[in-house]
Amino acid sequence: MFAAKTIKWVAAATLALTASSAMAFEPSGKVECIAPSDPGGGWDFTCRSVGNVLEELKLVPASVQTINMAGAGGGVAFAHTVSKRKGDDQLLVAASTATTTRLAQNQFPGMNADMVNWIGAVGADYGVIAVSKDSPYHNLNELMDAMKQDPRAVKFAGGSANGGWDHLKVLIAAKAAGVENLPRIPYLSYNNGGEAMTQVIGGHVDAFTGDVTETQGFLKSGDLRVLAVLSDERLPGDLADIPTAKEQGIDAVGPNWRGFYMPADIDDDAKQYWVDAIDKLYASDQWKKVMKSNGLMPFHPDSSEFEAFVKQQIQDIQSLSKEIGLIQ
């Protein structure tokens, strides 16, 4: 009798275990990745390159389809995800520091970071502050000391709009260095980083603010001197000679990270599947090759840290944006 009961119990337990294993989430059919921009550019690159590697690693059952959804600097895609795709566990949306900047500056009206699931980052392009080879400034402290004397002493050029990420990187560094009256720091916005660097090299503007990958050509030619990279530690390879702002006593970090969010209301096991998939992708040789060939630098906080990082970045950008009068 006892043996029969035991056999029944073991059989029931096995059945329950099998059922629970069967219930563990796995994507089925087509996975979509929304790039909140036209083809080309950072978000499109994130969807297409990550999609290719997910397929290669067999972390998706079929293809990953990139859907371009431009508009409102990512706002159209964010609104679509929040209002129309709740519970969709087969949808990834490309995001970056541009996403957190716009959330911080209330450019997605009525929406906030809590309305989506933040899944993970797959690398970053770190900010730099650079000058021409003939500049009188040889390190970041010399530049910041001039700005402490007069916040208008150094004119910056960047590829983002006024109040955008390139502009904010200067303000993050200046604030950390103890420069006062941040709204008075001159910033000139150009169509792209290349145009901004040309102005600096030509001697028309004092300093460039942008991402490290943009500077590599001018760095190799010797026309540009990078005073600091806004990363926690020195970057690998050819960029290892560039000092960080931190090692110069200025606690400023500015990663333009690339990663993903997903819709709200997805099951925990579905969220966990995608968090794990991004972890596996990031650790793969295939992704390391993509990073190397596209100048992406290491940046991959674990999932709980990533969400906290996103929210902290929004808070920091919000307070800076208020300080320079961009938002109330």
Side-chain angles (χ1 to χ4, degrees), residues 247-266:
E247 72 189 69
Q248 298 175 71
I250 297 168
D251 190 3
V253 178
N256 181 14
W257 55 268
R258 302 195 186 284
F260 297 95
Y261 62 84
M262 287 185 73
D265 297 344
I266 58 172

Side-chain angles (χ1 to χ4, degrees), residues 183-222:
R184 287 183 61 76
I185 297 171
Y187 173 78
L188 301 174
S189 166
Y190 290 90
N191 288 329
N192 53 59
E195 213 176 288
M197 276 183 284
T198 304
Q199 294 298 311
V200 173
I201 288 159
H204 309 296
V205 188
D206 302 305
F208 169 72
T209 165
D211 291 327
V212 71
T213 50
E214 296 176 296
T215 66
Q216 290 185 46
F218 287 122
L219 203 55
K220 279 176 185 156
S221 68

Side-chain angles (χ1 to χ4, degrees), residues 37-86:
S37 60
D38 292 323
W43 286 326
D44 187 65
F45 158 79
T46 304
C47 271
R48 290 180 196 278
S49 56
V50 165
N52 289 339
V53 177
L54 286 173
E55 288 171 27
E56 216 177 311
L57 296 173
K58 300 201 171 4
L59 292 166
V60 289
S63 63
V64 177
Q65 183 187 359
T66 296
I67 296 166
N68 294 94
M69 195 177 286
V76 169
F78 200 90
H80 171 80
T81 306
V82 168
S83 64
K84 299 200 166 101
R85 303 298 287 269
K86 270 187 186 170

Side-chain angles (χ1 to χ4, degrees), residues 101-117:
T101 300
R102 290 182 176 97
L103 282 165
Q105 294 171 350
N106 304 320
Q107 289 183 33
F108 299 168
M111 291 177 285
N112 62 56
D114 292 327
M115 293 178 171
V116 296
N117 279 299

Side-chain angles (χ1 to χ4, degrees), residues 30-313:
K30 185 180 66 185
V31 171
E32 292 180 343
C33 185
I34 292 178
S37 60
D38 292 323
W43 286 326
D44 187 65
F45 158 79
T46 304
C47 271
R48 290 180 196 278
S49 56
V50 165
N52 289 339
V53 177
L54 286 173
E55 288 171 27
E56 216 177 311
L57 296 173
K58 300 201 171 4
L59 292 166
V60 289
S63 63
V64 177
Q65 183 187 359
T66 296
I67 296 166
N68 294 94
M69 195 177 286
V76 169
F78 200 90
H80 171 80
T81 306
V82 168
S83 64
K84 299 200 166 101
R85 303 298 287 269
K86 270 187 186 170
D88 189 338
D89 52 24
Q90 305 252 134
L91 175 69
L92 299 168
V93 188
S96 66
T97 302
T99 316
T100 46
T101 300
R102 290 182 176 97
L103 282 165
Q105 294 171 350
N106 304 320
Q107 289 183 33
F108 299 168
M111 291 177 285
N112 62 56
D114 292 327
M115 293 178 171
V116 296
N117 279 299
W118 298 92
I119 298 300
V122 292
D125 202 354
Y126 284 97
V128 290
I129 291 173
V131 294
S132 74
K133 62 179 180 185
D134 304 319
S135 170
Y137 305 114
H138 292 87
N139 60 55
L140 190 58
N141 280 303
E142 287 177 5
L143 186 92
M144 292 298 169
D145 286 345
M147 290 162 68
K148 284 179 194 173
Q149 297 290 315
D150 174 11
R152 298 193 67 76
V154 180
K155 197 183 285 178
F156 289 88
S160 78
N162 211 296
W165 182 233
D166 285 343
H167 186 190
L168 289 171
K169 280 181 284 210
V170 171
L171 303 178
I172 287 165
K175 187 172 185 176
V179 175
E180 292 177 353
N181 213 343
L182 300 182
R184 287 183 61 76
I185 297 171
Y187 173 78
L188 301 174
S189 166
Y190 290 90
N191 288 329
N192 53 59
E195 213 176 288
M197 276 183 284
T198 304
Q199 294 298 311
V200 173
I201 288 159
H204 309 296
V205 188
D206 302 305
F208 169 72
T209 165
D211 291 327
V212 71
T213 50
E214 296 176 296
T215 66
Q216 290 185 46
F218 287 122
L219 203 55
K220 279 176 185 156
S221 68
D223 291 310
L224 204 66
R225 185 192 306 144
V226 179
L227 301 182
V229 59
L230 305 182
S231 55
D232 280 308
E233 294 168 356
R234 288 200 183 202
L235 301 178
D238 297 343
L239 304 167
D241 291 338
I242 305 171
T244 65
K246 276 188 160 186
E247 72 189 69
Q248 298 175 71
I250 297 168
D251 190 3
V253 178
N256 181 14
W257 55 268
R258 302 195 186 284
F260 297 95
Y261 62 84
M262 287 185 73
D265 297 344
I266 58 172
D267 291 341
D268 289 346
D269 57 348
K271 181 179 178 181
Q272 194 57 50
Y273 178 88
W274 289 111
V275 166
D276 293 345
I278 296 299
D279 285 347
K280 284 171 191 163
L281 170 127
Y282 187 79
S284 71
D285 290 340
Q286 290 93 324
W287 186 249
K288 288 184 175 79
K289 279 182 199 159
V290 172
M291 287 178 74
K292 192 171 182 183
S293 58
N294 291 278
L296 269 185
M297 297 297 155
F299 184 76
H300 183 67
D302 77 32
S303 58
S304 57
E305 282 174 7
F306 178 58
E307 188 160 332
F309 165 82
V310 164
K311 290 180 179 174
Q312 186 61 53
Q313 192 177 49

